[in-house]
Amino acid sequence: MPFAFLSRRRFLVAAACAFVAAAPAYADKSPSGKVSTDELMAPNALPDVVEGSANAPVTIVEYASMTCSHCAAFHHDVYPELKKNYIDTGKAKFILREFPLDPLATAAFMLARELGDKRDAVVDLLFSQQKNWAFSDKPLDGLANVLKQAGLGQEKFEAILKDQTLYENVNKVRDRAAEKFGVNSTPTFFINGDKYTGEIKLEDFDKIITSKSAEK
């Protein structure tokens, strides 16, 4: 039972500590490093959920934490336009990977994964209502209430949080990112292997994607 030892109060404290590892609000326009795209896209402990065309010339990988306010801001303010302009048009594909900064974020990712093809929709839902669960007095109750909107009942909710294998696999995704790619804060983006730390404004995505597309 991966979460049996944690009280709701300790969940709340852990969630608040996520801000320590949150990245600056905006990324520099220049990448802070580069990794091998073959290694970046190698099989992981959990399969990637890909948004967009598999043949898109630009690949965006985001490492995010469900309790990170900067990640929530990106998904609320930037992602909808990024999706409309680039992902839905076949110019880029987008992959969100788990990088939980605290146990509550791990729990949220576990629950989203178990909803199958609803996973990314559930991630968006949780980000949009982050204040209602991540920073509430009773975060687990808040999380359960939000996920009822996705059709997840209390019995299933509790069963998922007892899944030791899923718990370990979510953390393996995070650990690999830290060890192989130097990820240590959220959000961190890799765009065709170039590393950007912190939120990226839409106009910067425009420039980066245009530049990457021209390289093809």
Side-chain angles (χ1 to χ4, degrees):
M1 296 184 183
F3 299 100
F5 64 94
L6 283 170
S7 69
R8 288 170 178 163
R9 177 62 182 164
R10 289 176 69 185
F11 261 124
L12 182 60
V13 171
C17 290
F19 283 110
V20 174
Y26 291 104
D28 294 332
K29 293 181 182 180
S30 299
S32 60
K34 189 174 182 65
V35 303
S36 162
T37 53
D38 287 342
E39 190 166 26
L40 183 66
M41 302 308 294
N44 224 321
L46 291 170
D48 284 333
V49 178
V50 182
E51 297 285 346
S53 171
N55 298 319
V58 175
T59 300
I60 303 167
V61 176
E62 178 196 12
Y63 283 96
S65 178
M66 292 306 309
T67 52
C68 166
S69 60
H70 295 310
C71 300
F74 164 74
H75 279 265
H76 181 269
D77 299 332
V78 178
Y79 182 75
E81 290 298 311
L82 181 69
K83 185 175 187 300
K84 182 177 75 173
N85 296 342
Y86 296 104
I87 299 169
D88 291 347
T89 59
K91 297 176 182 177
K93 59 179 175 284
F94 181 88
I95 298 164
L96 182 144
R97 289 182 184 164
E98 294 88 347
F99 198 89
L101 295 175
D102 55 81
L104 184 58
T106 303
F109 276 131
M110 290 171 66
L111 293 159
R113 274 284 178 176
E114 282 299 291
L115 287 165
D117 59 6
K118 294 182 180 179
R119 184 261 197 170
D120 281 0
V122 170
V123 165
D124 288 340
L125 173 66
L126 291 173
F127 275 136
S128 71
Q129 298 196 32
Q130 190 184 70
K131 66 180 181 180
N132 295 328
W133 60 274
F135 307 110
S136 69
D137 290 337
K138 297 181 178 180
L140 283 181
D141 288 350
L143 188 56
N145 288 334
V146 172
L147 289 174
K148 285 178 183 177
Q149 301 174 42
L152 185 67
Q154 187 65 29
E155 185 176 348
K156 182 65 173 176
F157 177 91
E158 294 176 4
I160 292 169
L161 294 186
K162 296 175 182 177
D163 187 335
Q164 183 69 32
T165 299
L166 180 58
Y167 171 81
E168 292 173 356
N169 284 339
V170 168
N171 287 317
K172 283 178 182 178
V173 172
R174 179 199 61 204
D175 293 346
R176 183 173 185 269
E179 294 166 7
K180 295 287 187 181
F181 312 129
V183 178
N184 59 14
S185 62
T186 58
T188 294
F189 298 90
F190 291 91
I191 305 177
N192 281 13
D194 286 343
K195 181 181 179 181
Y196 298 83
T197 302
E199 290 179 58
I200 305 179
K201 294 179 286 187
L202 183 63
E203 51 264 40
D204 289 332
F205 270 114
D206 292 337
K207 296 172 184 176
I208 294 166
I209 293 173
T210 298
S211 173
K212 293 297 181 186
S213 298
E215 293 175 0
K216 295 293 180 177

